Amino acid sequence: MTKRYALGIFEDEDVLLHAVENVRAAGVKIYDVFSPYPVHGIDDALGIERSRLPIAAFFFGMTGLSFALWMQIYMLGFDWPMIIGGKPHIALPAFIPVAFELTVFFTCHGMALTFFTITGLYPRPKVPVMDVRATDDKFVMAIELDETGSQFSRLTQLLRDNGASEVNQKEMTTK
């Protein structure tokens, strides 16, 4: 499936932020903004909701903590009970280091898998790139065009009026 985009290239992040607000106020839906580094406030300007990934992190952490405690209580209390240094079989203070490490382990690996699954940032032979300069020193605003591309001239004028140094049209093939 081939989609067409209007790409507005910006030189400065402040100009980009104001342009995003003005373009959205004009009723145009912005597909995405690409930048060489994180831009403070771009999520609010684009109207992106706060991520729910911290909720997933909490549940991954609780799973790791539960697994660590269950594993240690089972192994040292039931499967192979041993008295070490006069401590009881189930000595919770001694379980803290292992419980902490497995909590962090489960959280990190779970978050990485969740993030890559949600965003689709997995390894593939050809990575779609809107504009190579977005990884170097430019800021790129992408707006999806309809099949005919008839609104490109209107979008070009709107983006230039809001500080775009150039406006290009790009076709991307998605699977």
Side-chain angles (χ1 to χ4, degrees), residues 13-14 16-18 21 35 37-45 139:
E13 67 183 79
D14 293 328
L16 172 74
L17 278 172
H18 293 299
E21 293 169 357
S35 66
Y37 54 84
V39 177
H40 180 70
I42 196 74
D43 292 342
D44 295 333
F139 302 91

Side-chain angles (χ1 to χ4, degrees), residues 6-12 15-16 19 34 130-134 137-142 159-160 162-169:
L7 303 179
I9 312 296
F10 293 86
E11 305 284 335
D12 186 38
V15 175
L16 172 74
F34 304 95
M130 287 286 187
D131 194 307
V132 177
R133 295 174 292 177
D137 63 345
K138 304 289 186 211
F139 302 91
V140 179
M141 181 191 307
L159 290 170
R160 288 210 184 268
N162 284 294
S165 59
E166 64 181 272
V167 179
N168 303 321
Q169 191 170 359

